[in-house]
């Protein structure tokens, strides 16, 4: 009996091991738009090497000061993805986690860093040429935290033809008033490079700011295009970015864009984002299935 129990335990252990997805960190893709190699990490579902099927893709974006390993190292993406997929709460999917530095996922004002162009014209084609990724809008989604939440909405609202679902977590969203009143040291230290050097106050509301203001994009984008993407917005009640997320929620209501909006207990922490990721996978998974 003891021997049979040992064998059974080993079999269960082997099955559990076989069900784990694969994480590959810090792979490289050449980028003409960025003028250098860009690193990314990728999660491949447990059965990726056992079948010839193609998979939907979730692009999962990191926050300010992190890189392509943020979600794998601190976000426990592999464990959470394995558990969510194995439970049946979400379909098997590929998860791509690219490094964006501190670009905020946009083309900056002086044109020296064109991250948006890289993402749309180079990263997505690279993923779909290298992996068995389903190359259609209905099988792509984008999500991310903080700076990556902002990047999520940049990609989803400016490229509504590319993504079926978008899920910003604790997104870094600002109103025109936030930008105009931002302390000079913060503006000069980061945002002037993104949106363009300008006079203080309303002088900061530059052409590049309006090209990348989520609220302005929502205001000016045709309703049918906005409604072609499903949105899931989540921010903690103690998060310093809650006001901007509420402004986004209000803008979508005003434009009559259907969306999910969650305010849960918590702050701007990995503890919060780890609890959010299963819900993100469930939400985007619904757009991947029929």
């Amino acid at each position: 009996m003891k021997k049979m129990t040992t064998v059974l335990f080993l079999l269960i252990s082997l099955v559990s091991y076989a069900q784990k997805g694969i994480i590959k960190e810090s792979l490289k893709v050449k980028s003409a738009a960025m003028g250098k190699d860009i690193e990314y990490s990728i999660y491949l579902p447990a059965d990726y090497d056992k079948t010839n099927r193609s998979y939907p893709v979730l692009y999962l974006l990191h926050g300010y000061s992190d890189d392509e390993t943020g979600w794998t190292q601190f976000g426990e993406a592999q464990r959470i993805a394995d558990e969510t997929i194995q439970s049946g709460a979400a379909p098997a999917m590929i998860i791509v986690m690219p490094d964006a530095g501190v670009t905020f996922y946009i083309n900056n004002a002086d044109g020296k860093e064109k991250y948006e162009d890289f993402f749309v014209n180079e990263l997505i084609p690279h993923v779909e040429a290298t992996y068995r990724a389903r190359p259609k809008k209905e099988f792509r989604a984008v999500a991310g935290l903080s700076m990556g939440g902002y990047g999520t909405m940049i990609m989803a609202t400016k490229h509504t033809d590319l993504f079926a679902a978008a899920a910003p977590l604790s997104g870094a969203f600002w109103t025109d008033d936030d930008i105009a009143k931002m302390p000079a040291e913060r503006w000069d230290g980061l945002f002037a490079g993104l949106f363009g050097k300008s006079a203080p106050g309303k002088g900061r509301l530059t052409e590049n700011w309006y090209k990348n203001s989520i609220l302005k994009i929502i205001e000016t984008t045709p309703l049918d295009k906005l409604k072609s993407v499903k949105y899931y917005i989540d921010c903690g009640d103690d998060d310093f970015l809650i006001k901007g997320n509420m402004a986004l929620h209000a803008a979508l209501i005003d434009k009559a864009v259907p969306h999910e909006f969650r305010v849960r207990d918590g702050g701007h922490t990995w503890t919060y984002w780890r609890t959010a990721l299963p819900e993100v996978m469930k939400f985007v998974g619904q757009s991947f299935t029929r």
Side-chain angles (χ1 to χ4, degrees):
M1 179 63 73
K2 184 176 181 181
K3 186 175 182 180
M4 289 181 63
T5 302
T6 301
V7 171
L8 183 61
F9 175 78
L10 288 172
L11 287 172
I12 292 172
S13 298
L14 286 171
V15 170
S16 297
Y17 177 78
Q19 290 178 338
K20 289 185 178 179
I22 300 168
I23 287 283
K24 297 182 179 181
E25 288 189 334
S26 303
L27 305 173
K28 296 181 187 296
V29 55
K30 290 187 179 297
S31 172
M34 293 292 287
K36 61 182 179 180
D37 288 351
I38 302 295
E39 294 185 320
Y40 69 96
S41 297
I42 193 165
Y43 168 88
L44 301 174
D47 62 352
Y48 185 86
D49 291 332
K50 302 175 182 66
T51 73
N52 63 356
R53 64 173 290 197
S54 295
Y55 298 84
V57 181
L58 170 62
Y59 291 87
L60 189 58
L61 312 183
H62 68 77
Y64 186 82
S65 80
D66 275 332
D67 57 24
E68 77 285 353
T69 66
W71 273 107
T72 60
Q73 298 293 322
F74 305 118
E76 301 179 22
Q78 181 180 20
R79 175 187 64 79
I80 293 170
D82 285 345
E83 291 175 356
T84 308
I85 292 169
Q86 289 170 23
S87 72
M93 64 184 75
I94 293 170
I95 303 176
V96 179
M97 297 156 277
D99 179 29
V102 293
T103 63
F104 276 79
Y105 301 89
I106 67 172
N107 296 343
N108 71 352
D110 64 13
K112 292 180 180 178
E113 289 190 315
K114 299 180 179 180
Y115 196 90
E116 182 185 343
D117 288 356
F118 157 72
F119 194 100
V120 170
N121 300 322
E122 296 174 333
L123 178 63
I124 292 176
H126 171 78
V127 168
E128 294 177 355
T130 307
Y131 306 95
R132 297 197 309 275
R134 304 193 72 172
K136 293 182 179 180
K137 167 188 168 82
E138 57 260 44
F139 301 114
R140 295 190 203 100
V142 59
L145 66 91
S146 194
M147 181 185 82
Y150 170 81
T152 293
M153 292 302 288
I154 284 290
M155 300 304 168
T157 58
K158 294 179 77 171
H159 304 280
T160 56
D161 58 320
L162 292 181
F163 299 99
L169 308 173
S170 311
F173 306 123
W174 308 279
T175 65
D176 288 358
D177 197 48
D178 293 331
I179 292 296
K181 294 180 178 179
M182 187 175 291
E185 61 272 17
R186 188 179 181 206
W187 172 262
D188 294 337
L190 174 61
F191 293 98
L194 294 173
F195 303 122
K197 294 182 179 180
S198 59
K202 291 186 178 180
R204 295 172 178 171
L205 306 180
T206 62
E207 179 182 2
N208 210 48
W209 159 249
Y210 280 127
K211 282 182 180 178
N212 296 287
S213 162
I214 300 301
L215 301 182
K216 177 62 73 172
I217 293 168
I218 289 170
E219 178 188 327
T220 56
T221 300
L223 181 59
D224 60 333
K225 290 188 176 183
L226 290 175
K227 290 175 70 172
S228 73
V229 181
K230 297 178 180 178
Y231 304 94
Y232 178 93
I233 302 159
D234 182 7
C235 188
D237 58 354
D238 296 321
D239 197 306
F240 70 98
L241 292 172
I242 185 64
K243 181 180 176 183
N245 281 263
M246 293 175 71
L248 172 60
H249 173 47
L252 291 171
I253 290 174
D254 290 345
K255 195 74 180 276
V257 179
H259 63 286
E260 300 293 327
F261 182 58
R262 301 287 183 271
V263 177
R264 299 183 293 120
D265 182 35
H268 207 74
T269 67
W270 277 109
T271 299
Y272 189 89
W273 302 318
R274 284 191 293 267
T275 62
L277 185 55
E279 299 304 314
V280 167
M281 291 185 64
K282 292 175 190 177
F283 180 80
V284 303
Q286 291 173 0
S287 69
F288 295 153
T289 56
R290 295 189 176 94

